[in-house]
Amino acid sequence: MEVTSPESIAAAVAVLRRGGLVGLPTETVYGLAADAENELAVRRIFAVKGRPSTHPLIVHVAQASSMESWATSVPPEAHRLASAFWPGPLTLVLKRSPRASDAVTGGQDTVALRVPGHPVALAVLRAFDGGVAAPSANRFGRVSPTRAEHVRADLGSDVDLVLDGGPARVGVESTIVDLSGDEPLLLRPGGVPVESVEKVLERRISRVPGRKIRAPGLLPSHYAPRAGVLLAEPGGAVAKALALAGNGRKVAVAVPEAVEVPEPLVALRIPADVDGLARELYTVFRLADEAKVDVAVISVPGEEGLGLAVVDRLRRAAAPRSS
Ligand code: TXA
Ligand code: MG
């Protein structure tokens, strides 16, 4: 159920003003939001997530003109990308101004900024009239929430208020482009295809993160369900899953509706198109855990469009776990 009355927007703003935490719907994933200029509130985000405090947060703002107050220098590329994709699933990393504290930036000299493309998030940001720090509203290392009930299930009473903005439209996190150095760098593939960024900038951008940064999304075992994730070639998921099944092992296979799934495999249904897969990916991870499977097998899509972000999340989910 979506509860997005003017009263709930006002309630969320009141929570933010008193230093509380709000589960905030965005078009990518739900965020765990706090007043970016309230250090205690920002520290609570890290405590609730269980995230190392050196990992910087994205500051969400209502409009592109806010870049000028959060960053010292806003290069022309930032203006071009902002007018092309904001509000939307793009985050820009810029040289920070004093408005961006060490608490938010993890002590780095840059700040990450984004104008989210969700009416509820925008309504809250406009009424709050400030920057809102928000990582994805999940415990550290777990699957990002794409529905209000995911936030409640993960964080329970650790979050003061959860706004329900319906299922996230994009389903994977924002694309992060670093414009603080000599060259634009892709730090994380996400909801804006890198091809679209390149078109606006009229230049190619490396798909491989080119610089050492402190970004938890760059740790190999991230975005992971509890179940193991195994990647298959296109069309090879069912055969690979069947080869693993048996010996007491419960195996799921994520395939579109049209693909037949034989016993004893558990069928996890995914959209046949890559935008649909991006939208449903984290829900599928959650369903794998709810079905208590030991391993879920899924085919790797092509890397065009949102495929790059999907493949990135799949590879991380399939990476060896430390625990
Ligand atoms: O779609 C999204 O971006 C969602 C929604 C809620 O907006 N947010 C999100 O936040 O994914 P989080 O904290 O889970 O991921 C933010 C990423 C992290 O990898 C963080 O290290 C990176 O952004 N980041 C933040 N500030 C940075 C900075 N100054 N330099 C480099 N990376 C930064
Ligand atoms: Mg996250």
Side-chain angles (χ1 to χ4, degrees):
M1 235 242 312
E2 292 184 37
V3 188
T4 55
S5 61
E7 291 77 24
S8 50
I9 302 293
V13 170
V15 169
L16 293 173
R17 288 209 199 291
R18 64 163 193 264
L21 301 183
V22 173
L24 187 71
T26 87
E27 79 282 31
T28 57
V29 300
Y30 275 69
L32 182 62
D35 178 355
E37 289 172 278
N38 179 332
E39 200 175 321
L40 280 177
V42 171
R43 278 206 237 136
R44 243 188 101 202
I45 293 181
F46 288 99
V48 165
K49 277 202 62 131
R51 173 165 167 167
S53 62
T54 51
H55 288 175
L57 304 175
I58 296 172
V59 177
H60 298 70
V61 292
Q63 63 276 312
S65 57
S66 301
M67 282 193 290
E68 315 290 343
S69 75
W70 289 92
T72 44
S73 69
V74 182
E77 289 84 0
H79 290 292
R80 283 162 69 185
L81 291 176
S83 36
F85 301 114
W86 282 353
L90 177 74
T91 295
L92 297 177
V93 172
L94 303 172
K95 286 266 182 247
R96 76 169 183 186
S97 79
R99 195 172 182 189
S101 67
D102 283 344
V104 167
T105 64
Q108 309 198 65
D109 61 355
T110 54
V111 62
L113 297 170
R114 167 163 122 83
V115 180
H118 190 292
V120 173
L122 283 173
V124 170
L125 289 170
R126 287 195 189 111
F128 178 64
D129 194 26
V132 162
S136 52
N138 53 284
R139 309 268 184 208
F140 186 60
R142 310 263 22 130
V143 178
S144 298
T146 51
R147 292 166 187 268
E149 54 266 32
H150 298 165
V151 181
R152 293 194 197 98
D154 274 10
L155 302 181
S157 58
D158 284 346
V159 51
D160 299 301
L161 174 70
V162 180
L163 290 182
D164 191 340
R169 177 172 58 77
V170 176
V172 289
E173 295 83 353
S174 60
T175 300
I176 307 181
V177 176
D178 184 352
L179 295 174
S180 69
D182 299 334
E183 306 246 294
L185 285 177
L186 178 70
L187 299 188
R188 177 177 73 185
V192 172
V194 65
E195 298 92 323
S196 307
V197 172
E198 290 178 328
K199 219 166 171 181
V200 170
L201 295 182
E202 297 175 295
R203 57 175 294 164
R204 272 191 60 82
I205 299 179
S206 168
R207 266 77 172 153
V208 186
R211 198 196 305 169
K212 245 182 75 194
I213 54 149
R214 276 176 272 158
L218 300 176
L219 302 176
S221 177
H222 210 70
Y223 310 105
R226 283 173 214 284
V229 174
L230 208 78
L231 306 183
E233 294 301 310
V238 170
K240 195 157 188 172
L242 275 176
L244 285 168
N247 296 326
R249 215 173 6 219
K250 195 169 176 190
V251 180
V253 62
V255 284
E257 203 64 55
V259 178
E260 203 186 316
V261 174
E263 299 274 330
L265 301 179
V266 175
L268 298 171
R269 294 305 180 179
I270 55 174
D273 66 298
V274 76
D275 289 10
L277 178 55
R279 199 177 58 239
E280 298 299 329
L281 185 67
Y282 291 144
T283 297
V284 169
F285 284 176
R286 281 169 197 271
L287 289 175
D289 284 341
E290 277 166 29
K292 296 198 163 51
V293 301
D294 298 299
V295 57
V297 183
I298 183 168
S299 289
V300 184
E303 298 195 344
E304 309 76 41
L306 291 195
L308 190 67
V310 170
V311 171
D312 171 76
R313 305 308 188 266
L314 284 176
R315 290 204 200 288
R316 288 177 205 290
R321 316 268 167 96
S322 46
S323 55

